[in-house]
Amino acid sequence: MNSQSQKKTKKKPNPLFEGDRWDYLKTFLTTLFIVVMFGIFNIFYMIHNIFNDNVKSRYNVDAAFESYLVDVLIDQNIDLSKRYPKNYATNMRLGILYSYKRDYTNAEREFKNSVEKAVAYDYTPSYQLAKLYVKINRLQDAQDIMDNIGERPNKRLINFKGDIYNKLGEAYYNQGYYALSMVKYEKAMSYYQIISKKKLKETKGMYIVSCIALADNYVQVGKIDDAILSLEKAYELEPKNITLNYKLGLLYSDNDVQKAYKLLTFVNNEDPEIMNYDLYFDLINKIADLEAENGRPTEAELYRKKALQYQKFVKNNLLYDKDLFFDVMKLDVNNDIAAQEHIINLQFRLQNNSSLDISNLYVKAVFKDGDKIFQTSTQQLYDETRVFKAGVTTPPISISASEPYSKDYRPDQDWVVQVYAYKYPKYRVLIFEKQLKKPNLTP
């Protein structure tokens, strides 16, 4: 009888006690009311801003209002934590709110309190504390928290560990510690392969970026073998990555021409825009010489013919950036208040610096806001009936682009203007690139 009653009355630990329900309901309703009022405030404020383009002042008002909302929620949760000191979920919420306000000292205190009070199976407070440590650059502390928990077959914990190691990899990468970054990304991938193909793919991409950055550093100091080793690690994960094939092809071109040829042939077929055509032409001839040295004259002759065909193809279809001189005559920005837009004006001339006439010439201007393209413009300057003579300069070419004002306008993010030239779109070459500072919007 007693044993049965004990089984019936035994309950799973719960961070919310029965007495808390009304207080949590009040907190929830208060938060909901604040969110609704914030939405109404934003609607009226957007209507107001239709007639006011002072984006900076709008951001200041919104930030102040958000800070006020956070303070209200902090007060609510402080009151709850005093009345129900064993409730670790309240401490965790306070930690998140303090972190949002960048009050990291109080955030750390609340997260630690939450960790101490938490039930054995809930690793969320530890995860939140580790995230805080990553945010304030206490990277080893963040790793120690996850490592000290140990390995358990708990999907939520596995996901937490993967996320923290992923964040550590990103932090070390941003600080220029690419080798350390690779180690942390590898650890993150070991967790993600258990629970998330999507996160595994994303982390794999960041790992490859770290490998490339480390290889570039090795190349700068002449450690070619180390650079190749770094790139090969990434290549094992993604052998069809064009950047990896290209960089490895360049590094192998001096000591393993066969492997370099295979890698660069892949690049030439997939993305010929980035190819160094002179190097590729020389590489084919090197293979021809190697075949001749090894007593295979027929194969050597085939490679030489291939090199000549490639040279002819380049001559008829491709441009080099050295073939054209880009002369900027004007590049400015106008602020059209009436139309509520910015207008970028570009005027330039091209000179044919090559020894050959160029036919079928196009230019394409690309205008970006940060990484986002907002307008492109393509013009055909010459065709088969009207060629661009060697040594001749074009008349002035004018291109403009407009970008409407936006509430997301960021004056700290530059515009980027790029101009490409090509005979065929597949083989375009970048001949001009410039960043433009955005003007501050004024009332």
Side-chain angles (χ1 to χ4, degrees):
M1 188 77 173
N2 291 336
S3 61
Q4 288 179 351
S5 62
Q6 285 178 354
K7 288 181 181 178
K8 288 181 180 180
T9 57
K10 187 176 181 180
K11 294 183 180 179
K12 192 176 182 180
N14 192 330
L16 299 181
F17 300 101
E18 290 292 331
D20 295 352
R21 290 181 177 178
W22 172 239
D23 294 307
Y24 271 84
L25 181 61
K26 287 193 294 183
T27 302
F28 172 77
L29 292 174
T30 302
T31 304
L32 180 63
F33 172 77
I34 292 171
V35 171
V36 171
M37 291 302 296
F38 183 54
I40 295 172
F41 171 84
N42 270 334
I43 292 172
F44 280 104
Y45 206 73
M46 281 191 297
I47 295 172
H48 165 73
N49 278 301
I50 291 175
F51 306 99
N52 180 8
D53 64 349
N54 191 347
V55 178
K56 187 175 181 180
S57 66
R58 182 168 72 247
Y59 285 161
N60 290 339
V61 172
D62 288 349
F65 192 71
E66 287 179 11
S67 179
Y68 166 75
L69 296 180
V70 173
D71 287 338
V72 171
L73 293 174
I74 287 174
D75 290 341
Q76 290 279 338
N77 283 279
I78 287 176
D79 181 60
L80 281 175
S81 68
K82 289 178 179 178
R83 283 188 284 164
Y84 306 101
K86 294 183 179 180
N87 187 347
Y88 68 91
T90 305
N91 295 105
M92 188 166 61
R93 281 198 303 274
L94 279 169
I96 294 171
L97 291 168
Y98 280 127
S99 180
Y100 180 82
K101 285 181 65 69
R102 299 183 181 180
D103 184 352
Y104 301 130
T105 300
N106 280 325
E108 180 184 14
R109 184 195 68 233
E110 295 298 336
F111 283 139
K112 282 185 173 181
N113 288 338
S114 184
V115 170
E116 291 175 2
K117 300 175 186 179
V119 292
Y121 58 83
D122 193 348
Y123 307 106
T124 309
S126 296
Y127 171 65
Q128 292 292 347
L129 180 58
K131 279 205 307 181
L132 174 69
Y133 284 150
V134 173
K135 189 173 184 178
I136 61 178
N137 202 35
R138 289 170 58 178
L139 304 184
Q140 188 58 52
D141 288 337
Q143 180 176 325
D144 289 344
I145 288 174
M146 290 291 104
D147 290 347
N148 289 338
I149 295 175
E151 305 298 337
R152 294 181 174 84
N154 181 300
K155 287 187 176 181
R156 192 169 177 81
L157 175 61
I158 292 170
N159 185 66
F160 286 161
K161 289 196 171 191
D163 285 351
I164 292 302
Y165 270 99
N166 187 49
K167 291 178 185 297
L168 288 171
E170 183 180 0
Y172 283 121
Y173 176 85
N174 290 334
Q175 294 176 20
Y177 299 117
Y178 304 124
L180 265 176
S181 175
M182 289 165 57
V183 171
K184 305 311 174 188
Y185 282 138
E186 285 174 349
K187 189 76 170 178
M189 287 189 288
S190 71
Y191 291 115
Y192 285 151
Q193 69 182 358
I194 300 173
I195 58 167
S196 175
K197 291 182 179 180
K198 181 181 178 181
K199 289 185 176 182
L200 176 62
K201 182 179 179 180
E202 292 172 352
T203 306
K204 187 187 295 182
M206 293 184 288
Y207 174 79
I208 290 171
V209 171
S210 292
C211 290
I212 292 172
L214 181 61
D216 289 344
N217 278 3
Y218 281 138
V219 170
Q220 289 177 5
V221 296
K223 295 183 177 181
I224 303 303
D225 290 342
D226 289 333
I228 289 175
L229 183 61
S230 177
L231 292 175
E232 286 286 6
K233 288 182 179 179
Y235 185 80
E236 290 177 6
L237 293 178
E238 197 170 328
K240 292 186 178 181
N241 183 293
I242 293 172
T243 301
L244 292 174
N245 277 268
Y246 185 61
K247 287 182 176 290
L248 276 171
L250 295 180
L251 295 179
Y252 277 121
S253 61
D254 288 331
N255 54 24
D256 191 339
V257 292
Q258 292 284 3
K259 192 164 188 177
Y261 175 71
K262 178 184 176 182
L263 293 164
L264 292 178
T265 298
F266 173 82
V267 176
N268 188 59
N269 292 335
E270 296 295 323
D271 190 4
E273 290 180 25
I274 68 172
M275 278 292 294
N276 182 323
Y277 298 105
D278 289 334
L279 183 146
Y280 190 54
F281 175 75
D282 291 341
L283 190 63
I284 300 173
N285 281 314
K286 282 183 180 180
I287 295 176
D289 294 340
L290 187 63
E291 293 290 344
E293 290 173 7
N294 292 330
R296 294 190 287 270
T298 303
E299 287 81 357
E301 185 62 25
L302 287 173
Y303 275 110
R304 288 196 178 95
K305 286 183 178 179
K306 184 177 289 188
L308 290 173
Q309 290 173 348
Y310 182 73
Q311 188 180 49
K312 183 178 179 181
F313 168 79
V314 170
K315 177 182 176 181
N316 294 334
N317 297 278
L318 305 180
L319 286 171
Y320 293 91
D321 56 357
K322 64 184 180 182
D323 290 339
L324 299 172
F325 173 71
F326 192 93
D327 178 24
V328 181
M329 302 174 69
K330 181 175 72 171
L331 179 58
D332 59 25
V333 180
N334 293 327
N335 188 6
D336 191 335
I337 298 176
Q340 295 285 287
E341 64 183 11
H342 295 101
I343 300 174
I344 301 175
N345 300 300
L346 171 64
Q347 189 177 65
F348 61 92
R349 294 181 297 185
L350 296 178
Q351 180 176 323
N352 184 353
N353 281 350
S354 70
S355 59
L356 301 172
D357 297 342
I358 300 174
S359 61
N360 208 33
L361 177 64
Y362 294 80
V363 291
K364 179 177 182 178
V366 178
F367 299 88
K368 297 180 179 179
D369 190 341
D371 295 328
K372 181 181 178 181
I373 297 174
F374 65 88
Q375 193 167 321
T376 63
S377 176
T378 302
Q379 295 185 24
Q380 183 175 15
L381 304 181
Y382 297 94
D383 55 28
E384 289 81 359
T385 61
R386 180 173 172 266
V387 299
F388 189 16
K389 297 288 185 180
V392 171
T393 300
T394 66
I397 302 166
S398 297
I399 300 176
S400 63
S402 61
E403 184 180 37
Y405 293 170
S406 168
K407 67 177 182 179
D408 299 324
Y409 181 75
R410 290 182 53 187
D412 61 317
Q413 181 172 274
D414 293 342
W415 284 307
V416 179
V417 181
Q418 298 172 324
V419 180
Y420 295 87
Y422 57 88
K423 296 178 181 179
Y424 296 97
K426 187 177 179 180
Y427 307 112
R428 65 182 187 177
V429 60
L430 180 65
I431 58 175
F432 175 77
E433 184 171 29
K434 183 76 173 180
Q435 289 186 321
L436 292 175
K437 292 291 183 183
K438 288 183 177 180
N440 288 319
L441 296 180
T442 56

